[in-house]
Amino acid sequence: MIAQAELVERVQAYDAGADRELINRAYAFSEKAHGSQKRESGDSYFSHPLEVAGIVAQMKLDGATVATALLHDTVEDTLATLDDIEVQFGPEIARLVDGVTKLSRLEMPSDRAMQAENFRKLLLAMSNDIRVLLVKLADRLHNMQTLRHVRAPEKRKRIAIETMEIYVPLAERIGMQQMKEELEDCAFAELNPDAWGSLHKRLEFLRARGGDLVSRIADELGRTIAKGGVEAQVTGREKKPYSIWRKMERKNISFEQLSDIMAFRVTVERVADCYAALGAVHGAYPMIPGRFKDYVSVPKLNNYRALHTTVIGPERKRIEVQICDREMLAVADYGVAAHWQYKQQRETTDGSQYRWIRELLEILEHAPTAEEFLENTKLEMFQDEVFCFSPKGDLIVLPRGATPVDFAYAVHTEIGDTCVGAKVNGRLAPLRTQLANGDQVEIVRSSGQTPSPTWENLVVTGKARSAIRRFARNQERSQYLELGKSIVDKALQHAGRTLAEGELEAVLDIFRCKTVDDLYVGVGNGVHTARDVLDAVIGGEQRLGRAGRVLSFVRSRTRLSRASDDAVPIRGLIPGVAVHFGDCCHPLPGERIVGISTSGKGIIIHTIDCDTLETVSDAPERWLDVAWDAQPDAAGIHAGRIRALVANQPGSLSIMTTVIANNDGNISNLKILNRAEGFFEFQVDIEVRDLKHLTQILAALRSESAIASVKRVRG
Ligand code: MN
């Protein structure tokens, strides 16, 4: 365990201006909060945040991040609250600790293979400050280093898999090579202990046999480069068991065949020296063709820069050599964190040391190989997406602004179609709620529910929008189908005919329809008439037979006082889809009505005395005998329009509206038509159930002395 003074010293070694007192206070606060808690290893719990702070200091991060590392588990695992942290350490550190706590609470999605990438994006999106992510990685590294102390094998395995699938790629993505390798190796040891063990043993054996081979080679390499006139530091290391294992797997070779298990790093002062050092190495040792890579002139996507080559080096050993300058080295080891340090050093006169995140993002934004580098590293790039969980733990990625309806359709079209409500994080929330990162969304469904066209206004995903539209189209078709079928049936009844098997199929070609259903839809939406269909079926022999007579007798309005038994019921047909009510006459249930089939629009319902009917008097084939549903239409609200002459005296308007309200009428529009001597003339639109309802309201209005006259109007 590092001592308090040592930690502070480490930080001050790279950041002389670091707030000593802050780190000391965070140390004391965390030590006290964790108290006598123990880890599974038997160590005091406090050793964990302390080690994490040590790792963060190794990354040379600022004092606030070190303090955050010390405090990172206090909110989750002790009685301390975020408020306590804010009071004691201020808003910046509270925000950082909160960020790390939130990341720790996230659970890995259930279907790992498919969701790992999304989960990594979620972690990045939730780390709105990169320091949050760096502390989280340090936390994970220490947990991996001490993983063997966790007793439950399944838990060890789960943590190791999570590390391999989530944190290793994340570390690589932000360029933290050392972190990546260490995490990887710890996870490998847990997941494949046999392979790890034998590689480890083999490396030990080679080490013992070769004596101090690595440093002998490093020394000779250094001398060779110095002879070339370049000042350089050479360090060598054995590769980690995991990267050797990967290479063996990838190239399908055995450990004996695997020659370059050592990597050497040559660090020089200036970029130009890189090439000079490379010249010296290639001059002295034969290079292996095809292994040379120049990442200095063309950096890797995560901004890694170095020259790579493989040579048959000192002692005839095949070795990999990486050449870079100090800045490249720091980037290679610490990734994004290093960008800041170097930028910082160049601009020390610039004051505020906490501006580094903004600067970091700036560097990322202006990086030369911008696009994909940004794709992979810039934290804000995920700010236009939100990541939500299903109750089962599946991760759903949605565009920002998405609502539970988008979520429902993203899970499954059927879930979207039957969605009636949503619980967000366990609480009922309106469907228009905009989802936030990490929200858990549970869709409340009802089998009776159908998508409402108005949902189009509250979705942002194409999938949801097209599903809603598709549903409306399908519904339209089924309404037209039903309508067309009953129109044809009625016409047949009047003609005293029944259809024999295949009779409609036989005439499909005439109407250019593929199926009988298509034909019915055509009749329903008015493209074809029932007369045409009958003509085709009967072959014209009974042209203008009974069917024609029925339709024309509909026209003699006066004889019709009640709906005929043969009328097509408009039950179950939703107004606005296959059936529309005429704006000219506002028919109300209870009134005698006529349907006019209108090409492409279905049927328009008019009252039998509507003047508009004159305009279609020469097209009897378009007339349809229709009837209101026998049952009162519970859902149907119809517009009734009245005109009232009201005395110009205080309170008379309120009398009118009160009477309407008392009679269960809802005013949907109110307009002053005239302002005559002593009277106002109003036009009032009232939502009513049927004709009876409107008549009842009219009667109630007439009984008021303030209302001089009132009558129903049309149009
Ligand atoms: Mn922790």
Side-chain angles (χ1 to χ4, degrees), residues 96-402:
L96 291 171
V97 171
D98 188 37
V100 181
T101 306
K102 278 188 181 138
L103 289 193
S104 304
R105 280 179 190 155
L106 286 176
E107 269 174 47
M108 179 136 117
S110 49
D111 186 351
R112 285 192 315 267
M114 292 185 38
Q115 308 239 295
E117 172 60 17
N118 281 338
F119 195 71
R120 289 195 291 269
K121 284 189 187 173
L122 173 62
L123 291 177
L124 280 174
M126 290 189 68
S127 316
N128 45 20
D129 186 320
I130 195 171
R131 293 176 291 180
V132 167
L133 188 63
L134 296 175
V135 172
K136 183 65 207 166
L137 282 171
D139 174 45
R140 177 51 61 120
L141 179 58
H142 185 245
N143 284 334
M144 289 306 291
Q145 287 166 344
T146 54
L147 186 64
R148 62 187 181 279
H149 297 298
V150 172
R151 273 184 285 276
E154 324 80 65
K155 190 177 169 194
R156 282 201 308 270
K157 186 162 180 239
R158 182 182 61 74
I159 295 173
I161 290 176
E162 194 179 76
T163 300
M164 208 57 128
E165 291 182 348
I166 307 294
Y167 292 97
V168 165
L170 215 48
E172 182 173 28
R173 183 169 287 189
I174 60 172
M176 313 214 46
Q177 192 57 28
Q178 255 186 17
M179 171 76 76
K180 177 208 157 204
E181 280 178 12
E182 260 189 87
L183 285 172
E184 206 166 54
D185 214 51
C186 293
F188 179 52
E190 174 61 37
L191 294 173
N192 200 339
D194 294 344
W196 185 87
S198 59
L199 281 168
H200 211 69
K201 257 201 211 120
R202 179 76 189 163
L203 284 171
E204 251 168 40
F205 168 77
L206 288 177
R207 207 175 294 141
R209 201 185 59 177
D212 207 358
L213 186 63
V214 171
S215 56
R216 282 205 315 271
I217 292 181
D219 287 348
E220 191 183 328
L221 206 53
R223 282 194 296 277
T224 304
I225 294 169
K227 264 188 246 159
V230 184
E231 212 173 291
Q233 269 182 349
V234 181
T235 56
R237 63 186 180 104
E238 278 161 6
K239 291 180 182 170
K240 295 261 186 215
Y242 184 72
S243 70
I244 296 174
W245 170 254
R246 279 289 302 277
K247 200 165 229 173
M248 286 165 62
E249 274 196 327
R250 210 169 43 229
K251 303 204 164 158
N252 203 13
I253 50 179
S254 71
F255 190 75
E256 274 65 33
Q257 290 171 277
L258 190 79
S259 41
D260 51 349
I261 54 167
M262 286 174 289
F264 293 84
R265 194 176 250 161
V266 176
T267 316
V268 296
E269 286 303 317
R270 290 178 303 268
V271 178
D273 292 344
C274 291
Y275 294 96
L278 178 76
V281 171
H282 280 180
Y285 310 106
M287 74 176 277
I288 311 277
R291 297 293 306 272
F292 171 67
K293 291 191 185 83
D294 184 348
Y295 295 119
V296 172
S297 67
V298 184
K300 280 196 191 183
L301 296 179
N302 61 11
N303 226 20
Y304 173 85
R305 296 163 74 211
L307 300 174
H308 284 196
T309 188
T310 303
V311 295
I312 309 292
E315 310 200 12
R316 304 280 313 149
K317 293 285 177 207
R318 184 177 154 133
I319 54 169
E320 196 177 300
V321 182
Q322 301 166 1
I323 305 169
C324 57
D325 72 10
R326 281 179 204 292
E327 181 169 348
M328 297 177 204
L329 177 67
V331 171
D333 286 344
Y334 296 116
V336 285
H339 281 292
W340 160 60
Q341 293 164 25
Y342 277 86
K343 176 112 176 149
Q344 188 82 352
Q345 278 176 18
R346 282 198 290 270
E347 297 178 2
T348 34
T349 48
D350 207 355
S352 166
Q353 57 175 309
Y354 298 116
R355 290 180 42 219
W356 70 277
I357 293 158
R358 217 173 45 231
E359 290 172 353
L360 170 67
L361 288 173
E362 239 169 66
I363 299 168
L364 294 180
E365 270 162 29
H366 299 124
T369 51
E371 242 167 69
E372 287 210 68
F373 177 45
L374 287 183
E375 276 278 306
N376 293 320
T377 44
K378 190 184 156 208
L379 301 179
E380 272 167 354
M381 81 168 173
F382 300 118
Q383 301 303 315
D384 55 356
E385 290 180 330
V386 285
F387 301 83
C388 302
F389 290 96
S390 76
K392 275 191 252 155
D394 291 335
L395 194 51
I396 310 283
V397 189
L398 296 164
R400 189 152 288 271

Side-chain angles (χ1 to χ4, degrees), residues 690-710:
D690 51 20
L691 180 63
K692 207 171 129 201
H693 188 194
L694 183 66
T695 312
Q696 172 196 329
I697 292 173
L698 287 170
L701 287 171
R702 284 187 188 117
S703 69
E704 292 293 334
S705 61
I707 297 168
S709 76
V710 59

Side-chain angles (χ1 to χ4, degrees), residues 481-499 504 520 523 530 533-534 547 566-569 624:
L481 176 67
E482 191 183 331
L483 179 62
K485 213 169 181 170
S486 50
I487 291 172
V488 171
D489 283 352
K490 292 296 171 189
L492 282 165
Q493 261 176 44
H494 284 297
R497 275 282 256 126
T498 48
L499 281 178
L504 280 183
Y520 283 137
V523 173
V533 176
L534 281 196
D566 301 326
V568 174
L624 271 175

Side-chain angles (χ1 to χ4, degrees), residues 45 48 72-73 139 143:
Y45 194 95
H48 166 65
H72 83 271
D73 274 334
D139 174 45
N143 284 334

